[in-house]
Amino acid sequence: MGFFDWINLTDEFAFNGSIEKLNEKIRLKNEKPFRVEWIEYNKFKFLANSSYGIFMNIGGPITEGISGIASIEETDNDKVKVYLKSKVRFELYLVTIILGLILSVGIVKNDNSSPWVLLLLPFIFFWFWFVYRIQEKALFGNLKKILEEK
């Protein structure tokens, strides 16, 4: 388990049908708020069509935006168990590194602003995490809604 794994969003639900039916249901839904990229037979990445983040708003997308990975496991009785997991956003790593560097320079230079940076570091990190978590939950909810509708 990595340092940032605790901030990943995870979820699971059951889909009534086979992996092929799940794939068909996603493919046939024309107006969905996400796109799907199959990685393996039983794993796909789903990405929000629109997301808000540092690199999504500075001159075009540098990262792929809000996304999740779905792992699928067939069970008996024509059901599929779907496991959803988000990944750690690049921006969280970047904010942590930048603020850590600012804090280190402040300590080395014996700057009086170091306590402020020390207080702001967790706040800024958790602010970005919170904004991404809201978008991730919406994305997960959209996928579940499409797959659970009759």
Side-chain angles (χ1 to χ4, degrees), residues 102-108 110-119:
I102 292 170
L103 179 63
S104 299
V105 169
I107 290 172
V108 169
N110 202 12
D111 187 4
N112 289 335
S113 64
S114 295
W116 288 106
V117 173
L118 196 59
L119 290 173

Side-chain angles (χ1 to χ4, degrees), residues 114-148:
S114 295
W116 288 106
V117 173
L118 196 59
L119 290 173
L120 286 177
L121 177 67
F123 175 76
I124 292 170
F125 178 85
F126 284 108
W127 172 254
F128 279 106
W129 171 79
F130 177 71
V131 170
Y132 295 135
R133 177 53 50 95
I134 290 171
Q135 294 178 80
E136 289 167 346
K137 283 188 174 196
L139 177 63
F140 281 32
N142 288 330
L143 177 68
K144 286 173 67 173
K145 179 180 171 186
I146 287 172
L147 292 177
E148 290 177 341

Side-chain angles (χ1 to χ4, degrees), residues 2-148:
F3 175 73
F4 285 108
D5 284 346
W6 61 272
I7 63 174
N8 289 333
L9 179 62
T10 58
D11 199 357
E12 63 182 67
F13 64 96
F15 173 75
N16 292 318
S18 64
I19 292 177
E20 290 80 16
K21 288 181 183 176
L22 182 143
N23 184 1
E24 183 178 332
K25 189 159 194 169
I26 291 173
R27 194 172 40 81
L28 294 178
K29 182 70 175 178
N30 290 331
E31 294 182 25
K32 55 185 177 291
F34 58 88
R35 60 192 185 284
V36 171
E37 296 173 5
W38 285 88
I39 301 168
E40 299 171 13
Y41 172 72
N42 62 344
K43 185 183 274 190
F44 63 89
K45 182 189 305 187
F46 54 108
L47 303 103
N49 289 337
S50 64
S51 64
Y52 303 100
I54 297 172
F55 291 118
M56 298 304 290
N57 295 326
I58 302 175
I62 295 173
T63 63
E64 59 189 16
I66 301 299
S67 64
I69 300 288
S71 299
I72 305 164
E73 182 181 293
E74 287 186 297
T75 61
D76 4 333
N77 305 334
D78 198 33
K79 288 191 185 266
V80 171
K81 190 78 166 179
V82 181
Y83 301 96
L84 307 176
K85 183 176 182 180
S86 66
K87 63 178 189 162
V88 178
R89 300 277 308 184
F90 171 75
E91 291 94 333
L92 291 177
Y93 288 117
L94 186 65
V95 165
T96 303
I97 290 169
I98 290 172
L99 291 175
L101 287 172
I102 292 170
L103 179 63
S104 299
V105 169
I107 290 172
V108 169
K109 288 187 168 190
N110 202 12
D111 187 4
N112 289 335
S113 64
S114 295
W116 288 106
V117 173
L118 196 59
L119 290 173
L120 286 177
L121 177 67
F123 175 76
I124 292 170
F125 178 85
F126 284 108
W127 172 254
F128 279 106
W129 171 79
F130 177 71
V131 170
Y132 295 135
R133 177 53 50 95
I134 290 171
Q135 294 178 80
E136 289 167 346
K137 283 188 174 196
L139 177 63
F140 281 32
N142 288 330
L143 177 68
K144 286 173 67 173
K145 179 180 171 186
I146 287 172
L147 292 177
E148 290 177 341

